[in-house]
Amino acid sequence: MAVNAKKVAVYVVVVFVMYVIVTDPKKAADYVQIGFEGISDAAQALGDFATWVANGGK
């Protein structure tokens, strides 16, 4: 039963994403840019943390 709920949730998300892309492509592009900026910021923070650890936490 959980597998069916998971499939339904995935389908709902896919349909929503397609709806946003079709109805407002500019806003969809903004969402993608925001997502990539978030991923980039997270990667930068992990890199800074790894550098801090490699330098002995100073």
Side-chain angles (χ1 to χ4, degrees):
M1 198 65 169
V3 174
N4 290 335
K6 191 175 185 181
K7 284 183 182 179
V8 169
V10 169
Y11 289 138
V12 167
V13 169
V14 168
V15 168
F16 176 73
V17 168
M18 295 303 292
Y19 171 77
V20 170
I21 290 171
V22 169
T23 58
D24 196 356
K26 186 174 187 320
K27 185 165 243 168
D30 290 341
Y31 289 149
V32 170
Q33 183 178 3
I34 289 168
F36 279 123
E37 286 176 2
I39 292 169
S40 176
D41 291 345
Q44 179 67 42
L46 286 173
D48 291 345
F49 176 73
T51 301
W52 178 77
V53 169
N55 290 332
K58 296 177 182 177

